[in-house]
Amino acid sequence: MNKKQCINEIIAEYTAKANAQKTTIALKLAALRKNDESFAGLENDVSALRIEYARQKANGAADPVLTARLQTAEKIFAEYMETHDIAIQPKCHCKKCEDTGWANGKLCSCVRQRLQEKITEASGISSILKDFNDSGTDFFPENLRENREKIYRLMRDYCKKFPNAQYRNVFITGSVGSGKSHLISCMANEVLKKSETVQFLTSFAFGNQMLKANFAPIDERESLISPLLETDLLILDDLGAEPVLNNITIEYLYLVLNERLIIGKNTVLTTNLSPADFLARYGSRVFSRAMDKKSTYIAYMDGPDLRLNASGATAK
Ligand SMILES: [Zn+2]
């Protein structure tokens, strides 16, 4: 998801709501003018008195009798409007920005709040978000505790500094049940808290989306691929579990990873595969983008010794 687009959408929603309110008010007023002579009279009185008051003010001072008449007429008019439940001005939901989306030349906090909700909804991971703060390290197995604690510490730091952490990409490798999903749901949550956009896709969903893109007309193709390039953080989960589709999986994985490296966007990959098995499955082009030495942190969830285990046969 594109943040600018999202902000524009929110402000457009505000404008549409305000316009809808204005239309409702205008329709109610038109109906009253037509059906209620006393209202039409009141409105005309107030209007005429206001004009006269403004004219006298412009020439020096308004006559006190006129001022009192205007005040009385305005009071009666306001009471009438209240009894008929008509607001003259649309009601604002946010006093700070009066629903314009901007306050003191900055994006209003109400927009930033809505932005965070919207990008969380669109992330694809909103239902399983976890929090680093609630994630004690007690559930780590004894023999891996030190290793996992280090990874969690580094990944928390990565998210705090996002998108300016030391590493651009993270490659998380570990066997089934090693806690990769828990870790990435903490990471996604932390990045979303900063109102950075996150897109989460399982490798299976990624493959399907790219298959669709490959055969779609050009403009539709764009709408399937560009969200994966534009999002601030892309998480591709469980690489290796998906079927490798001929001329699709590897080609599009390379395209997305390479493009994101070029434009300097962060990507997190998780897999059950060891780096060696990852290389064997996806080839050296994808491997070099997924594990670019300068920009990638490799998190070994099963413990640091297993990096020597090129077979990828890791213990649960
Ligand atoms: Zn506001």
Side-chain angles (χ1 to χ4, degrees):
M1 168 171 276
N2 180 314
K3 219 185 317 186
K4 265 188 206 156
Q5 245 170 25
C6 195
I7 292 170
N8 288 340
E9 271 173 35
I10 294 167
I11 294 184
E13 278 168 26
Y14 280 16
T15 312
K17 268 188 199 162
N19 286 342
Q21 279 197 62
K22 280 181 197 159
T23 308
T24 311
I25 293 168
L27 287 174
K28 276 189 179 176
L29 289 177
L32 282 175
R33 280 177 202 128
K34 199 173 155 200
N35 304 323
D36 186 343
E37 273 178 28
S38 67
F39 173 77
L42 260 177
E43 204 183 24
N44 284 338
D45 284 352
V46 171
S47 175
L49 287 166
R50 276 182 186 155
I51 292 169
E52 181 54 22
Y53 178 82
R55 196 187 62 78
Q56 291 190 9
K57 278 288 250 190
N59 290 332
D63 170 20
V65 178
L66 174 80
T67 309
R69 274 179 65 203
L70 174 60
Q71 280 168 350
T72 309
E74 279 183 334
K75 196 168 162 249
I76 297 169
F77 187 71
E79 278 165 8
Y80 183 98
M81 297 294 269
E82 207 181 320
T83 331
H84 291 77
D85 193 27
I86 306 167
I88 299 175
Q89 290 296 327
K91 278 179 199 145
C92 295
H93 294 100
C94 176
K95 289 210 172 78
K96 242 163 110 183
C97 69
E98 296 180 332
D99 296 355
T100 59
W102 299 90
N104 304 322
K106 280 187 184 161
L107 212 53
C108 184
S109 55
C110 69
V111 177
R112 280 186 275 125
Q113 170 73 30
R114 183 78 193 103
L115 175 67
Q116 202 185 326
E117 286 164 11
K118 268 183 94 117
I119 59 183
T120 303
E121 276 163 32
S123 66
I125 195 173
S126 59
S127 59
I128 52 161
L129 290 178
K130 301 276 192 296
D131 201 307
F132 273 118
N133 291 325
D134 306 331
S135 304
T137 51
D138 297 347
F139 68 95
F140 296 153
E142 192 78 44
N143 59 328
L144 292 171
R145 185 158 297 165
E146 201 183 320
N147 177 59
R148 295 270 174 88
E149 280 175 357
K150 183 185 158 202
I151 292 173
Y152 267 69
R153 205 172 50 244
L154 286 170
M155 290 303 95
R156 194 177 186 154
D157 185 60
Y158 172 86
C159 296
K160 291 261 182 241
K161 291 179 181 158
F162 190 92
N164 302 313
Q166 182 186 354
Y167 301 102
R168 183 147 316 277
N169 298 334
V170 178
F171 185 92
I172 304 171
T173 167
S175 53
V176 176
S178 61
K180 299 186 298 291
S181 303
H182 185 269
L183 175 60
I184 52 171
S185 48
C186 290
M187 291 173 73
N189 193 14
E190 207 63 34
V191 173
L192 284 165
K193 280 185 202 168
K194 305 179 76 162
S195 289
E196 302 281 3
T197 55
V198 175
Q199 194 64 61
F200 171 88
L201 278 179
T202 63
S203 60
F204 194 77
F206 174 78
N208 278 343
Q209 192 160 325
M210 294 306 102
L211 180 67
K212 220 168 144 188
N214 193 57
F215 295 108
I218 278 190
D219 50 338
E220 205 179 304
R221 186 168 178 263
E222 177 84 11
S223 72
L224 288 163
I225 297 177
S226 59
L228 304 187
L229 305 180
E230 286 170 359
T231 188
D232 296 320
L233 175 64
L234 175 68
I235 303 173
L236 292 180
D237 188 35
D238 213 7
L239 284 162
E242 79 289 5
V244 171
L245 306 167
N246 226 355
N247 298 326
I248 306 255
T249 308
I250 291 173
E251 284 68 14
Y252 280 96
L253 188 55
Y254 174 79
L255 181 143
V256 169
L257 294 178
N258 189 51
E259 194 69 24
R260 291 185 63 80
L261 266 184
I262 292 169
I263 56 180
K265 295 270 190 182
N266 301 56
T267 308
V268 171
L269 304 177
T270 86
T271 181
N272 293 345
L273 302 172
S274 66
D277 286 348
F278 189 90
L279 171 63
R281 182 180 170 95
Y282 294 105
S284 59
R285 282 186 353 132
V286 169
F287 182 84
S288 69
R289 298 307 183 276
M291 263 171 281
D292 173 71
K293 275 196 193 119
K294 276 181 283 177
S295 62
T296 311
Y297 174 73
I298 305 178
Y300 294 91
M301 297 295 279
D302 291 322
D305 296 335
L306 289 167
R307 78 179 71 187
L308 303 170
N309 187 347
S311 73
T314 52
K316 268 192 189 174

